[in-house]
């Protein structure tokens, strides 16, 4: 190879590297601007946001009293264990499931995407250099960050009051797996709801689909009852679905319900679900935009 060819090849590689760096810098700057703007947006109506956040903790109290009655605590008919869960285990499970749901729930995401498609607002993502899924992702990150900052105090109070319901502190490995499961649960929840919203390219009204999804989600995620209360055959089928990672899986990790030899394999399966759902979202978005006709303002 001649010296001129070598020099030209080096120049081309440098150009690709420089273009790649410029693209990454531009993308990072755009993501930061979106994130900062969304945080400021969430803080505009601070009083309403603070009040609604605290109101969401009222059902926790009712659930604790509900399970108190179910186990007949303090009576002659007191139940020691139900399906391997004592009353203390059940309260601990519910509180941990609430923490997991605080990460994985995406209120308004699917319906917002469906509304943008129906009224034509989604065309702003087509004519501007902003990725729809990327924008919605950073918007949710900002929303969750503000929510966590506010909810930390009531969560800390509830967990302190109910500290006797929890077993001995878990090991460092369990803490790491628990934290990873919460982060991955956020991604699974985001991608599932975004996928429901993107179906709006084919069905302009997704509210019925969203209602069905939320109904199955409430049951199959373990938010209603622990999934291992279900019959073995049914639980085996549910384990193949991504819903358990939204509530049951993080709580089961913390309470030691996941065998140590299966823990990291389950985390790996959750990572696979994140990749599969991301690819599905990208495919549906690309095909939806191909057939999209903009209407409205």
């Amino acid at each position: 190879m001649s010296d001129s060819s070598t020099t030209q090849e080096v120049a081309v590689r440098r150009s690709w590297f420089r273009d790649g760096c410029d693209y990454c810098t531009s993308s990072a700057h755009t993501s930061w601007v979106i994130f900062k703007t969304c945080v400021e947006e969430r803080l505009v109506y601070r009083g309403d946001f603070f009040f609604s956040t605290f109101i969401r903790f009222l059902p926790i109290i009712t659930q604790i009293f509900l399970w108190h009655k179910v186990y007949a605590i303090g009576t002659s008919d007191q139940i020691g264990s139900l399906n391997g869960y004592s009353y203390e285990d059940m309260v601990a499970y519910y509180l941990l499931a609430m923490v997991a749901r605080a990460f994985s729930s995406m209120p308004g995401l699917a319906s917002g995407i469906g509304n943008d498609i129906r009224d034509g607002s989604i065309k702003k993502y087509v004519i501007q250099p902003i990725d729809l899924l990327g924008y919605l992702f950073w918007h949710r990150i900002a929303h969750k960050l503000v929510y966590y900052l506010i909810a930390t105090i009531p969560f800390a109070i509830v967990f302190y009051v109910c500290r006797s319901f929890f077993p001995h502190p878990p090991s460092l490995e369990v803490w790491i797996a628990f934290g990873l499961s919460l982060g991955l649960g956020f991604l699974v929840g985001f991608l599932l709801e975004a996928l429901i919203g993107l179906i709006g390219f084919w069905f302009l009204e997704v509210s019925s689909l969203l209602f069905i999804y939320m109904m199955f989600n409430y049951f199959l995620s373990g938010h209603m009852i622990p999934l291992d209360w279900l019959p073995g055959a049914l639980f085996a089928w549910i384990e193949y679905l991504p819903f358990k990672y939204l509530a049951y899986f993080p709580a089961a990790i913390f309470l030691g319900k996941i065998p140590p030899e299966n823990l990291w394999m389950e985390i790996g399966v959750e990572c696979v679900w994140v990749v599969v759902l991301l690819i599905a979202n990208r495919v549906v978005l690309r095909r939806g935009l191909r057939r999209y006709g903009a209407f409205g303002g």
Side-chain angles (χ1 to χ4, degrees):
M1 182 179 295
S2 63
D3 292 341
S4 59
S5 299
T6 303
T7 303
Q8 184 178 7
E9 182 178 352
V10 171
V12 169
R13 289 180 178 177
R14 287 179 177 175
S15 177
W16 287 349
F17 177 77
R18 186 166 52 251
D19 292 343
C21 291
D22 291 342
Y23 174 78
C24 292
T25 303
S26 176
S27 298
H29 177 71
T30 302
S31 299
W32 167 248
V33 171
I34 293 172
F35 172 76
K36 184 175 67 172
T37 303
C38 292
V39 169
E40 294 171 352
E41 177 188 346
R42 297 305 304 177
L43 293 175
V44 170
Y45 302 102
R46 293 182 291 273
D48 177 72
F49 190 71
F50 292 170
F51 180 74
S52 61
T53 299
F54 277 92
I55 287 296
R56 291 192 185 101
F57 283 84
L58 292 180
I60 295 179
I61 301 174
T62 60
Q63 283 289 331
I64 292 176
F65 281 112
L66 171 64
W67 289 110
H68 189 276
K69 284 294 185 181
V70 170
Y71 281 86
I73 302 299
T75 69
S76 58
D77 298 325
Q78 179 171 329
I79 300 173
S81 177
L82 281 175
N83 300 320
Y85 285 77
S86 65
Y87 169 65
E88 292 76 11
D89 291 338
M90 197 61 232
V91 172
Y93 172 84
Y94 179 73
L95 293 177
L96 291 167
M98 287 290 293
V99 172
R101 290 293 298 171
F103 278 79
S104 63
S105 63
M106 302 289 158
L109 176 59
S111 59
I113 295 174
N115 291 336
D116 285 348
I117 295 173
R118 186 171 63 253
D119 64 20
S121 301
I122 200 170
K123 65 178 179 285
K124 62 188 176 185
Y125 300 105
V126 179
I127 62 178
Q128 297 179 6
I130 299 177
D131 176 58
L132 170 64
L133 292 177
Y135 173 82
L136 293 175
F137 173 78
W138 288 108
H139 183 274
R140 287 290 153 171
I141 288 286
H143 169 81
K144 292 295 184 182
L145 178 62
V146 175
Y147 174 78
Y148 300 149
L149 290 176
I150 299 171
T152 297
I153 295 176
F155 262 125
I157 294 173
V158 170
F159 273 79
Y160 178 78
V161 172
C162 300
R163 64 189 182 280
S164 61
F165 294 141
F166 288 86
H168 297 295
S171 64
L172 178 61
E173 180 185 21
V174 171
W175 274 111
I176 294 173
F178 177 70
L180 285 174
S181 68
L182 292 178
L184 292 170
F186 168 83
L187 295 176
V188 172
F190 172 80
L191 293 170
L192 280 172
E193 287 234 10
L195 192 59
I196 297 293
L198 291 174
I199 296 176
F201 282 115
W202 289 266
F203 302 95
L204 291 180
E205 183 56 64
V206 298
S207 57
S208 297
L209 292 174
L210 183 59
F211 175 78
I212 296 173
Y213 164 77
M214 294 303 295
M215 181 177 63
F216 279 100
N217 185 355
Y218 183 71
F219 181 74
L220 298 178
S221 68
H223 190 195
M224 183 177 179
I225 58 173
L227 293 180
D228 50 5
W229 279 25
L230 301 175
L234 181 58
F235 180 58
W237 279 102
I238 292 176
E239 281 210 293
Y240 289 102
L241 302 177
F243 298 105
K244 71 173 185 178
Y245 300 110
L246 304 179
Y248 169 77
F249 185 59
I253 289 176
F254 197 93
L255 295 175
K257 301 293 183 179
I258 306 296
E261 62 272 13
N262 296 339
L263 180 59
W264 293 106
M265 183 190 70
E266 289 281 2
I267 293 288
V269 172
E270 189 173 7
C271 292
V272 172
W273 267 115
V274 170
V275 174
V276 170
L277 289 170
L278 177 60
I279 294 174
N281 272 268
R282 286 298 178 186
V283 171
V284 171
L285 176 60
R286 184 170 62 250
R287 293 188 177 181
L289 289 175
R290 286 178 182 174
R291 68 185 306 277
Y292 175 66
F295 299 97

